[in-house]
Amino acid sequence: MSNKINAAITAVGAFVPEDKLTNADLERMVETNDEWIKSRTGISERRIQKGKGLATSDMGAPAVLELCRKRGIDPGEIDCMICCTVTPDMLFPATANIICDKIGAINAWGFDLNAACSGFLFGVTTGTALIESGRYKKVVVVGADKMSAIVDYTDRSTCILFGDAAGCVLLEPNEDGYGIQDSLLKSDGIGREYLYQRAGGSLNPASIETVTNKQHFIFQDGQPVFKFAVKGMADVSAELLERNNLTGDDIAWLVPHQANKRIIDATANRMGLSQDKVMLNIERYGNTTAATIPLCLWEWESKLNKGDKIVLAAFGGGFTWGATLIKWAY
Ligand code: UT7
């Protein structure tokens, strides 16, 4: 009898644009200051994708190419591409298709997945099911967002938060018990009142009014989102540990969505984890929405050991939130 097929992450790739937007830059653009931004969010600088004609796929494509290089595979071997994003190149076709075209992933089918800041977790869980089914051998999950395309740089409550980046993982079958062990995902449409991009969809198609009223930008009512996020991310992470009979001592790393250092600290505390087990790079990249978690995995990859138990956790627009338990495979 063959063993159960798990989905394991076997490679990580990422791409960050070179241009930086620092707190000092923002001080010159809106009424804010470095001290406020750092103490309320933990952010010092973000990366911005500059240049005409560049879009989310132009960060996703090099990230996936790096992943292929590291794993020693040709893009033509990829079976499926899932692109998690709220800033697709266009509303359609899917950015996943565009990435496939740009890198020569000619045998892959693909689609976009919209779960805002939890997008990567939702994508990994979906990709895991495809691998576990036995039908697919190589599924790429990309988290990529060009947040600078939808940020209003006159709104100090949001423009200090977001940055641009892409990160990705390759999922492959593993029959030795490594890989994705469990996922606990949630969503609640009540969140649409607090965090949204109002226009450009079927409810409010683009018009002169929607542009004039700045409805194509991201809007966030920060305080309620903060409250939901602190509770949601901590609850779900604690529940995931409990139902897998684990405590904080068993966990090598927490990989939290990077929206606010205070939300991350609350989650780590609730799980009983010390700071040194928490991946934190919000200071250098800000909130890159679906890219934050794979970007952390990419930066910490050399510190991860085979068999490490890792928890990924996120909260975001929708609301969407969740946590995923991984037994690292390499
Ligand atoms: O990733 C998706 C999910 N998103 C999140 O998880 C984000 C959740 N929310 C947050 O992280 C926080 O709510 C923010 C970082 C967005 C804001 O922090 P806050 O501690 O909730 O601040 P606040 O919105 O309550 O504003 C406090 C004060 C206000 O002034 P008054 O009314 O007390 O006089 C704001 O007007 O800070 C003011 N303020 C600023 N001051 C300087 C707001 N933005 C700024 C700014 N610089 N950039």
Side-chain angles (χ1 to χ4, degrees):
M1 221 180 81
S2 65
N3 292 333
K4 177 182 178 292
I5 302 172
N6 278 344
I9 294 175
T10 55
V12 185
F15 178 86
V16 288
E18 274 181 18
D19 278 299
K20 291 177 183 174
L21 180 67
T22 65
N23 289 353
D25 295 331
L26 286 161
E27 282 178 1
R28 290 189 287 272
M29 295 160 66
V30 290
E31 185 68 42
T32 190
N33 60 78
D34 179 56
E35 205 283 314
W36 191 97
I37 301 174
K38 272 200 200 131
S39 62
R40 297 289 177 121
T41 70
I43 304 170
S44 291
E45 60 186 39
R46 323 100 194 102
R47 299 299 181 95
I48 303 293
Q49 187 189 38
K50 289 190 178 158
K52 214 171 158 47
L54 293 178
T56 296
S57 68
D58 297 296
M59 297 188 289
V64 180
L65 282 177
E66 186 200 38
L67 174 152
C68 291
R69 240 184 350 261
K70 281 163 81 173
R71 184 66 180 142
I73 63 165
D74 184 90
E77 294 176 51
I78 298 169
D79 297 314
C80 178
M81 175 82 61
I82 303 174
C83 180
C84 315
T85 186
V86 292
T87 52
D89 289 21
M90 296 177 267
L91 279 183
F92 77 91
T95 302
N97 295 34
I98 300 170
I99 292 174
C100 286
D101 183 53
K102 285 182 173 171
I103 66 170
I106 51 173
N107 296 306
W109 61 287
F111 59 93
D112 286 2
L113 187 155
N114 178 340
C117 297
S118 309
F120 184 74
L121 287 195
F122 283 37
V124 163
T125 305
T126 306
T128 294
L130 294 177
I131 296 285
E132 286 177 351
S133 76
R135 291 182 62 177
Y136 303 100
K137 305 287 181 222
K138 288 185 171 51
V139 176
V140 172
V141 182
V142 187
D145 272 298
K146 179 179 177 169
M147 296 306 291
S148 63
I150 60 167
V151 163
D152 175 1
Y153 285 99
T154 65
D155 173 10
R156 71 173 181 174
S157 70
T158 52
C159 73
I160 55 138
L161 299 172
F162 296 100
D164 304 339
C168 56
V169 296
L170 177 65
L171 296 174
E172 293 187 87
N174 183 295
E175 295 191 27
D176 299 321
Y178 294 94
I180 316 307
Q181 308 289 308
D182 193 13
S183 267
L184 188 53
L185 305 181
K186 312 243 181 191
S187 41
D188 184 343
I190 191 182
R192 70 188 182 284
E193 289 175 36
Y194 305 105
L195 181 48
Y196 54 76
Q197 181 185 347
R198 188 175 296 282
S202 56
L203 179 62
N204 298 297
S207 67
I208 289 170
E209 285 73 34
T210 62
V211 173
T212 308
N213 296 330
K214 299 187 166 191
Q215 292 177 344
H216 294 272
F217 290 126
I218 190 168
F219 171 87
Q220 175 170 254
D221 190 354
Q223 269 194 16
V225 177
F226 184 88
K227 281 183 197 146
F228 277 106
V230 165
K231 183 165 169 19
M233 211 159 110
D235 279 357
V236 90
S237 304
E239 194 182 333
L240 184 77
L241 288 191
E242 210 176 292
R243 82 176 187 187
N244 285 279
N245 299 315
L246 299 170
T247 69
D249 291 343
D250 302 307
I251 301 303
W253 293 100
L254 169 66
V255 193
H257 169 55
Q258 314 274 311
N260 188 317
K261 187 175 179 304
R262 291 181 289 148
I263 299 172
I264 294 171
D265 290 345
T267 302
N269 280 342
R270 178 77 177 280
M271 292 171 73
L273 289 181
S274 53
Q275 293 267 349
D276 57 332
K277 288 182 167 183
V278 181
M279 294 189 194
L280 194 73
N281 60 13
I282 189 172
E283 188 188 1
R284 284 172 291 123
Y285 300 118
N287 182 350
T288 56
T289 304
T292 58
I293 290 176
L295 199 55
C296 281
L297 291 174
W298 179 70
E299 287 207 322
W300 267 263
E301 189 183 17
S302 64
K303 294 202 174 75
L304 304 180
N305 295 308
K306 189 169 180 173
D308 276 356
K309 291 200 179 70
I310 299 175
V311 172
L312 318 181
F315 187 95
F319 294 127
T320 55
W321 68 106
T324 293
L325 175 67
I326 298 178
K327 197 170 160 196
W328 196 250
Y330 63 98

